[in-house]
């Protein structure tokens, strides 16, 4: 068994146009999520348990673009995408365009653990949820008044201007457990006023996240179409495999996103030694870290580009 570090949980609440009046709510939401995830790790739970618990908490918090309170698509409905990956076995589960599941990260875990498939979408994913006893909800219960207002504003602009600047408040978590296993998860409502059926990077293995005990775990946020084309989650993890510390790999990934495609985003990276990396070129990125010796929730700003 190769050397590994003590348990660490690293979470994010998205990178992008996080407005001033939501900063405190984001930081509070991250702290609650870290408490939930850390409780798992502290009692010897697995990295997958910790990632799931942290993300369920963020999905249930109406501030983030995940689960309840997510952005609305062009039909005025919430459509959710999520993925989870186990770095020990490389097992992965993804779900896309799900409308009636309150916690898509739970559904992604069910896909990972109880089906031979890796990815299920839309009606098929919802049928799978029903057969596995996951509670189903009415889409309206996932719609917040704030997002309903944003939707009305975006609809007014459609056809005149491009839709309002996409918010990037996807959530994600990566964890290292006491056994030395890594896991990664990401959950999102996608981009503001997205076309029905659009799926971004967040639920795609290798794009919005990746985990491999041999190297690192990563979770991403930002312009999904660009992140997918660069397969940026796997790219960042491969940098760690090649010898980069996680912070250098995170910086290089964001450098590539900006330089190659002129796009914005952020990511968190954690390796088997417990070393962390966080980088963003967006206006703001919300993230936090918890271990036996660290406990921080941070709203980092960027002067790279405030557009
Ligand atoms: N990456 C997400 C998506 O494209 C959006 C975000 O991170 O806010 O679906």
């Amino acid at each position: 068994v190769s050397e590994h570090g003590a348990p660490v949980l690293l979470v994010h609440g998205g990178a992008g146009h996080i407005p001033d009046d939501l900063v405190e709510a984001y930081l509070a939401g991250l702290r609650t999520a870290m408490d939930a995830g850390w409780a798992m790790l502290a009692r010897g739970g697995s990295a997958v348990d910790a990632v799931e618990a942290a993300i369920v908490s963020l999905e249930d918090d109406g501030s983030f673009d995940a689960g309840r309170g997510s952005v609305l698509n062009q039909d005025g409905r919430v459509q959710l995408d999520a993925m989870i990956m186990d770095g020990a076995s490389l097992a992965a589960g993804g779900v896309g365009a799900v409308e009636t599941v309150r916690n898509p990260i739970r559904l992604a875990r069910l896909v990972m653990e109880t089906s031979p498939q890796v990815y299920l979408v839309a009606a098929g994913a919802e049928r799978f949820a029903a057969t596995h006893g996951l509670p189903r909800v009415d889409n309206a219960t996932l719609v917040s008044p704030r997002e309903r207002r944003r939707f009305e504003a975006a609809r007014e602009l459609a056809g005149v201007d491009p839709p309002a600047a996409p918010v990037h408040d996807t959530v994600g978590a990566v964890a290292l457990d006491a056994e030395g296993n890594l896991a990664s998860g990401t959950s999102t409502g996608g981009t503001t006023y997205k076309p029905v059926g659009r799926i971004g990077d967040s639920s795609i293995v290798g794009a919005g996240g990746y985990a491999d005990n041999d190297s690192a775990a990563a979770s991403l946020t930002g312009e999904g179409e660009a992140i997918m084309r660069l397969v940026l989650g796997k790219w960042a993890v491969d940098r760690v495999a090649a010898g980069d510390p996680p912070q250098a790999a995170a910086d290089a990934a964001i450098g590539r996103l900006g330089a190659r495609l002129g796009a914005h985003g952020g990511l968190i990276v954690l390796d088997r030694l417990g070393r962390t990396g966080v980088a963003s070129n967006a206006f703001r990125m919300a993230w936090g870290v918890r271990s036996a010796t660290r406990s921080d929730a941070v709203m980092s700003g960027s002067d790279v580009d405030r557009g």
Side-chain angles (χ1 to χ4, degrees):
V1 184
S2 62
E3 192 196 337
H4 63 82
V8 182
L9 174 68
L10 188 58
V11 302
H12 73 80
H17 293 260
I18 299 166
D20 290 349
D21 59 351
L22 282 178
V23 169
E24 277 316 311
Y26 271 52
L27 295 176
L30 289 174
R31 286 190 201 99
T32 305
M34 285 191 289
D35 286 346
W38 183 250
M40 293 289 177
L41 292 176
R43 64 165 183 259
S46 71
V48 169
D49 287 340
V51 162
E52 182 189 20
I55 292 180
V56 163
S57 171
L58 293 164
E59 287 174 342
D60 286 344
D61 183 316
S63 306
F64 301 94
D65 180 21
R68 190 174 62 81
S70 285
V71 302
L72 306 189
N73 66 16
Q74 289 178 11
D75 275 358
R77 293 171 68 83
V78 165
Q79 265 195 348
L80 302 169
D81 311 328
M83 69 155 279
I84 194 161
M85 185 160 184
D86 179 348
S89 58
L90 301 187
V95 295
V98 167
E99 296 192 350
T100 62
V101 173
R102 184 183 168 94
N103 293 112
I105 196 70
R106 285 201 205 282
L107 182 55
R109 185 173 183 176
L110 265 180
V111 171
M112 174 170 84
E113 291 180 345
T114 67
S115 91
Q117 285 76 38
V118 169
Y119 205 104
L120 293 175
V121 299
E126 292 176 353
R127 191 186 302 174
F128 182 84
T131 12
H132 288 81
L134 211 65
R136 308 280 297 284
V137 296
D138 197 306
N139 195 259
T141 66
L142 302 172
V143 176
S144 71
R146 180 193 70 186
E147 292 306 326
R148 173 60 60 186
R149 285 194 299 276
R150 276 191 188 165
F151 167 76
E152 300 297 348
R155 192 163 57 176
E156 296 231 320
L157 281 177
V160 183
D161 272 314
V167 288
H168 296 300
D169 322 327
T170 292
V171 306
V174 291
L176 172 67
D177 65 28
E179 311 280 306
N181 293 314
L182 290 165
S184 157
T186 307
S187 180
T188 191
T191 47
T192 310
Y193 209 62
K194 64 185 181 182
V196 175
R198 176 265 185 194
I199 288 173
D201 63 303
S202 305
S203 57
I204 308 282
V205 175
Y210 201 75
D212 185 346
N213 279 6
D214 289 346
S215 47
S219 172
L220 288 84
T221 170
E223 291 175 43
E225 282 69 12
I227 294 168
M228 290 163 91
R229 286 148 63 203
L230 294 171
V231 200
L232 203 57
K234 179 67 161 57
W235 190 92
V237 162
D238 284 347
R239 297 285 293 215
V240 178
D244 274 7
Q247 186 57 53
D251 288 337
I254 292 305
R256 180 160 167 75
L257 182 65
R260 186 69 179 89
L261 293 177
H264 296 91
L267 81 166
I268 54 177
V269 184
L270 173 67
D271 76 359
R272 193 177 163 82
L273 300 177
R275 298 180 301 173
T276 59
V278 181
S280 160
N281 64 355
F283 173 52
R284 279 181 171 143
M285 178 165 179
W287 62 276
V289 60
R290 181 71 62 89
S291 71
T293 55
R294 295 171 77 186
S295 178
D296 270 321
V298 180
M299 184 66 77
S300 45
S302 164
D303 39 33
V304 176
D305 191 336
R306 290 184 170 260

